[in-house]
Amino acid sequence: MAASSVLAFDGLTVGFAAGPVVRDVSFEVAPGEIVAVVGESGSGKSVSARAALGLLPPSAAVSGSIRLDGRELLGADPQRWQQVRGTGVAMVFQEPSAALNPVFSIGWQLVEVLRAHRELSRKQARAEAVELLAAVGIPEPRRRMRQYPHQLSGGQQQRVVIAMALANDPKVLIADEPTTALDVTVQAEILALLRRLRDERGTSIVLITHNMGVVAEIADRVVVLRRGQVVETAPVGELFTRPAHDYTRQLLAAVPRFGGEPAPAAEADRTGLELTDVVVDYGGFRAVDGVSLRVGAGEVLGLVGESGSGKSTLGRVAAGLLVPRSGSVSVLGTDPSSLSAAQRRQLRRRIGFVFQGAAASLDPRWTVRDCIGEPLLVHRAATGPEVGRRVADLLDAVQLPSAVADRRPHELSGGQRQRVGLARALALEPQLLIADEPTSALDVSVQAAVLDLLRQLQAELGFACLFITHDLAVADNLTHRVAVLRGGRVVEQGPPRQVLRDPAADYTRGLLAAVPGARNPVEV
Amino acid sequence: MSGYLLRRVPSALLVLLLASVLVFLVIRLIPGDPAAVLAGSDATPEAVAAIRRELGLDQPLHLQYLHWLGGLLAGDLGSSYLIGGEIGDLLADGAANTVVLATTALVLAVLCAAVLGPLWAVTRSRWVDRALTGFTTAAVALPPYVTGVLLVLVFGVAFRLLPAGGVPPDGLADRLGITAQYLVLPASCLALPVAAVLTRFFSEALRGELARDYATTAAAAGIPRCRIVFRHALRNAVPAAVTVLGLQIGNLLGGAVLVEAVFSWPGLGMLVEQGIDRRDYPVVQVLLVLSVAVYVVIQLVTDVVHAYLDPRIRLGGTS
Amino acid sequence: ESAVARQERVVPAGPPKPGGTAELGLLSDLVPKNLFTNTGPAITTLIGLVYDRLVHYGPSGLEPRPALATSWTPAPDGTALTLRLRDDVRFHSGREFTAADVEFSLRTYADPQWNGQLRSTAAAITDVDVIGPHEVVLRFAHPLSNIFDLLDTVPIIDSESIADLRSGARFVGTGPFRFDGWRPNTELRFTRNPDYFVPGRPYLDGVRARIIPEKSSLLSALKSGQVHFADTLGHRDVESAVRLGTARAITLTGAELQAYVGTNVTTPPLDDVRIRRAIAHALDRERIITEVFRGAGYASSLPWPKDSPAYDEARAARYARDLPRARALVAQHGPVPVLPLVYAAKDPSLAAVAQIVQNNLAEIGIEVRLEPLDRAQFTQQLIAGGFRGLWVTTHSWAQMTPSTLTVSAYPFNARKNASHFSSPDYTRAADAAWQLTGDPAEAHAALSDQLLDELFLIEIGVCWQRWAHSPELQGIGYSRRRELDLTEAFLA
Amino acid sequence: MIPRRGLVGALVVGVVFAAGLAAPLLAPFAPETQVEGANLLGPSAAHWFGTDELNRDVLSRVLHGIRVDLLISFAAVPLGALTGIAVGVASTAHRVLDVVVQRALDVLLAFPNLILAIALTAVLGPGLSTIFAVVVAVEIPVFARLVRSEVLRVRELEFVTAAEVIGARRGRILRTHVVPNSVGPLIVQTALSMSIAVFLEGAMSFLGLGVRPPEPSLGSTLNGSLNYLDANPAYAVGPLLVIAALVLGFQLIAQAASAATRTGERTW
Ligand SMILES: Nc1ncnc2c1ncn2[C@@H]1O[C@H](COP(=O)(O)OP(=O)(O)OP(=O)(O)O)[C@@H](O)[C@H]1O
Ligand SMILES: Nc1ncnc2c1ncn2[C@@H]1O[C@H](COP(=O)(O)OP(=O)(O)OP(=O)(O)O)[C@@H](O)[C@H]1O
Ligand SMILES: [Mg+2]
Ligand SMILES: [Mg+2]
């Protein structure tokens, strides 16, 4: 087996100041094999993957071995790394928004990558870049080539990052949550692309994901990680049918399924958030085109729809971060744009907001404790040791160990950061929660716990909630109503039972059909 | 972009106008009387009063100012109290010398920062790091008048490799090779502290950029280190460096006062210093307004560079 | 090609040899309007090279020698002087020099706008009678003891180009060199005057005077061979250049300067002459001369140099350093407040002198606060009499006829001076010396006694300036007012 | 390694600082004492760095001179920096205010340092308080500019938006998010400004505008020494050593501080 493996992890151990986070991890990837790595958020998936590219921070102590085609990678010199990266091993990073250079156009960055390993003329490279963009499902690739990262939606950015990783036809592609920010149709396209890549070019793929549907759909073999250790490695069919380890079983049990029915909304007649005929333009581009939505107090409205359809934009409008070009906004009964600064602050006290990119929304200099405690301090909801207690409670509620309280954001895993963002939004027990993909980076067990928490809090506090997600199952489970957005317009809205099981619009039907695992539902 | 520039112009003009008032007042606030300087130390008070009258210094300040401003607007820079000639002629020579010196120094400083900054940001060698720390320390610790004197002693006097000072006798435009030899010492001397400051800021900014995720992404794609530094990160780090460079221009012009003195380089620095020393109001006024104008233009350029380099400013909006 | 090699010159030995351009380094630039004020190296260089005078004094003594005037006859009553002029002299413009030019030059010099230092003497010339093209009679309001000082000082200028002179565009004289051009802040250029009235002179083809306003750069330029000659270097700089073997020194004996401590006699405690005397006794003149002026000079309580007719050894030694006496004088006066001492900040020698004076006065219990001022303020306050306490600077003009000092040098002016000092006795003594109303020796003695008794200016000593030049440039001369004379100079 | 560097820097600065404070105890002579006959002597047991042109002990003058520069580096620079930061931050709060302040800063910045120094000295007269004023005046616009451009940059980052959504006041956001994330360049600039202050003091005395004699300062001593390089080279070495040590110390501290405030390390 050793001879036939392209990439082999053998006893990989990675430690930071606080102790080891990856312990004796060993697994191998055969040529043309798709290995899924699943596991608890913070279990060391990303750290292991980065180790294979020599991209861990200097503070990390790495031991063990990682071999590419039988040659040791750890301890390689910069020249060798440079050759390996991109062609030997390529990587799609977990958080795409930060992975792109803000001052260069998408096209420029792709051309760069293409020309890093191959003798291509600029023109050839551009042509290939356009193809790559098209391959990852970016509409109008030629126009997008000229755009800058900040002009793309989260999902579009993610696809650009995938395109960059594919550019040089790597032997092994490590994709760290490559589809978290994507709606299911695009996700299906990406998965198809990966499969094609494997089939046509024999690329080996290491897919880090928390989406069991994706795993079921594409993986050959699954490695389950927990607390830095491999708890189980098994072929995909075997894993789903006969999970050997308790944790695996637990994980599979937590996979959200269609059909959960939330308790009816408490007082849906009072209005939490109301958008009427909202139009938002970016420059000449119309991102939101006459959307009307209403979220009653105590109601959870799920906002689903393809990547780039304007979901985040609507979220920003609802939070008063963006003033629409036209249309009216009413948040908890008032129009935020009509308020004085002090009144607006008071209004915001009652709103919780979870950003789509958790990494960027946390102050890099602050510890987790400071980040979560900030709203408490700002509104004097707690003082002194009380803050620490409340922060500990919140950490606990979002399933984070209290030890992370003293770390700074860049010392966390993607899922951990996302939960910090969520904890911060919940700190003041908001009356309106606007959550933009709040669980996208969470493994299913943690996700389930977080969704439980939300459900429970919602029942207790009765807040209104605009829940933006591309995970239809999650939407089905949590929300009272679902609105489907496409190209800046609402194509359909109604109770999830109706919209997600008996959709009226073709578009929604397409969406549902694309849900991974939908065709061969996971059996446990 | 051009609209942006147009919007900046009125405020730039306002700055110039304000500066002209300030310049005018400050110079007159300085105790000392040009007439007394003109009259010489053995003159009688009556002679001084006569000279004051002749120079128009006995008129009320606001009239003097308006008169001067009117002249300026009409393109008349006035004439020096002391030298007697038109200021325009006086400046032409000095300005050429200073522009050549300052530009050379600026280019040297920028080159130095462009090479050493990235080196410093990237290196993990202790020795390179120490050498650069040592270099920048020395460059900042040794003021130009010390480096100047030392350079002259070593290269000009002891080894006679380069001229000890002055401009080429047949003018800057005579022979490039000759001019370069005259320029080397004063320009390096002027460039050193600026180079050190720029290098520090630039390497610091670059270091920050190289730690960011996009640089990691580029590295993960196998893009060569050099290219990541010079093509990918540079553009993000340059705006900060440009801000600092903009701030340093003032130091450069100030340093020119010292360097020109040490190397007897007959430029505007010398003219300003002597102008103030001898209370040659018209000369100093024009020179200071000129330096303000240069500064204002540089600020404009800095802003444009910022906008050019950063699409978020250029195109507006954040995601 | 190396710029250094370009300026490198070989030094063959031999007799005066025509040709070559002398490179000079001057510490400050020209102010055309100050042309007659004898201030600054650019002016003294320009005047020395471009202009001639009617008579000239030799390096010592006050015996006039012929220059543009070949001979002269004073009237018996001393109120007129007949001058006969050379008839072979042309201005650089080609125009012939005549008696009318003498009149024009003297009248211009007397014009207040030029601030000629000997203006009061020039103004005492009531008439200039042009007798023939080359003969002229000067008539005076009263006998003038210092008339030859004036004739030695006034440059003969060209009436046709007087406007250009004021603006600095053109300087036309009859001297050994023609003015070629001036690039302010950069250089002055001169070429040989081929029609100079001394046959075969000057030897040099030209002179380029670079403005090098920083002492250390000037010194480097000299040491590195960039210039042949440096004006007004510090005494120690000259020493160091000489020690290095790259330069020789010229000590300007006969063109003395005097360092002094000025006092404002109207402000307490300086209004008490005992305090002024205490100060005079406290000064460590010898130290200042040896350390600051590197021995180029000698201590004296009076301005007169040793070869001055007014010099008297006993009087010059009147205020020897005597601390007990000084302290006693201070004690007689009672407690002394802190005294300000002003000096021009940029001159290191004066700064040193000021600090030594401060130290000396501290020894007798007078606390001094130093107030460095920039030159413009210093000059303004000197003229306006704005100093509240003490000041330190140098003066000149005591090397000429003694009366010139008291009618020309503002600090000594009997009618108005920076010390706010006036006394009928002093005025009378000054006038007597000038207008020759009595025996000159007596008049000088009276004047000296006035200066010593009243002590409004406390002299430190007489000092000589030193010039440095490379061995290559030989035959450098100078006038009694430190004007550069390169008539006999040549590049070896 | 980096924190150790900071310690070394702090140690160096501390030693110089202490030497300055203890100058009256350490210095063999009073700084103004003119030792009879000791004119520009070379180094000896009695005078480690020899004597100056006025027969004063160079070592004693250097030790006392440190005090002036410490006052400037540790009082004038921080005062100017804090004022500048306050001005810069305040100006970003309000559009109109920003325009006014920026134009005013333009006017100030447009005057080269030394010209400002020359003008201020001519108005106020030379002396320590003038140098102090000059340094403050020079630093204010520099810091104001720098902090402003940083604030404008950081303000656009998403975590600031996040704080706004929480309902934090602008002042609080500025204080707790924006300014701390702008400190990198400010730290570098502070160290530089402290060094440049020493330099400025020297340059002013080079132009005859420095401290009032006979008070010693590093810059004026160094500057004075240049005229006597061949009589007593040690005269220049004394102040140069101290200035170099100070600047090095500042730089090491700044390097350590900016390393400490950096939020990530290059991983490749
Ligand atoms: N630079 C760092 N310093 C200290 N600890 C770190 C650092 N980077 C990661 N960690 C810790 O290492 C552990 C593993 O992180 P990793 O990013 O590999 O998790 P993950 O499995 O990718 O999780 P997720 O699914 O949430 O992305 C986490 O507990 C994280 O807090
Ligand atoms: N600052 C901007 N300038 C120009 N276009 C923008 C800007 N921000 C977003 N857009 C565009 O607006 C559209 C909607 O963006 P938005 O971020 O709301 O999408 P989204 O529905 O949240 O997508 P995703 O699920 O991928 O996050 C996208 O096509 C995007 O390219
Ligand atoms: Mg991860
Ligand atoms: Mg989005």
Side-chain angles (χ1 to χ4, degrees), chain A residues 46 94 176 413-414:
Chain A
S46 303
Q94 190 169 5
D176 194 352
S413 80

Side-chain angles (χ1 to χ4, degrees), chain A residues 100-240:
Chain A
L100 293 171
N101 193 330
V103 302
F104 289 106
S105 66
I106 302 306
W108 188 93
Q109 299 187 46
L110 273 168
V111 167
E112 272 291 294
V113 173
L114 281 165
R115 282 164 48 112
H117 292 282
R118 286 191 282 159
E119 302 284 323
L120 290 177
S121 73
R122 244 170 213 293
K123 218 170 139 194
Q124 288 170 317
R126 289 193 71 81
E128 242 184 79
V130 174
E131 273 171 43
L132 273 170
L133 285 181
V136 294
I138 299 237
E140 304 178 74
R142 241 167 252 289
R143 183 169 77 87
R144 298 287 178 186
M145 287 280 283
R146 281 194 306 275
Q147 287 196 317
Y148 291 88
H150 77 274
Q151 295 172 307
L152 302 186
S153 77
Q156 289 163 341
Q157 289 170 344
Q158 188 156 49
R159 280 174 277 170
V160 172
V161 174
I162 295 173
M164 282 169 69
L166 297 181
N168 283 307
D169 202 3
K171 283 205 191 87
V172 182
L173 174 71
I174 303 180
D176 194 352
E177 310 277 12
T179 59
T180 37
L182 301 181
D183 61 283
V184 282
T185 34
V186 180
Q187 184 178 41
E189 281 169 34
I190 295 288
L191 293 182
L193 176 74
L194 292 182
R195 208 181 289 115
R196 211 166 54 240
L197 209 62
R198 190 266 303 268
D199 295 344
E200 288 171 9
R201 307 195 187 164
T203 311
S204 307
I205 295 171
V206 177
L207 186 67
I208 301 172
T209 181
H210 60 264
N211 188 324
M212 290 316 229
V214 170
V215 173
E217 177 138 342
I218 192 171
D220 299 319
R221 223 148 43 83
V222 185
V223 177
V224 184
L225 241 64
R226 191 184 193 202
R227 299 197 185 130
Q229 279 173 312
V230 177
V231 296
E232 183 170 3
T233 309
V236 67
E238 201 173 306
L239 186 94
F240 279 107

Side-chain angles (χ1 to χ4, degrees), chain A residues 6 68 83-90 117 168-173:
Chain A
V6 194
L68 178 69
Q83 285 162 10
V84 166
R85 292 172 185 157
T87 51
V89 186
H117 292 282
N168 283 307
D169 202 3
K171 283 205 191 87
V172 182
L173 174 71

Side-chain angles (χ1 to χ4, degrees), chain B residues 149-176:
Chain B
V149 168
L150 296 180
L151 285 175
V152 167
L153 279 185
V154 173
F155 291 99
V157 177
F159 296 112
R160 299 209 181 184
L161 291 173
L162 293 164
V167 283
D170 303 314
L172 288 174
D174 171 34
R175 295 262 292 275
L176 266 182

Side-chain angles (χ1 to χ4, degrees), chain C residues 11-23:
Chain C
V11 187
K17 157 173 115 48
T21 299
E23 303 273 344

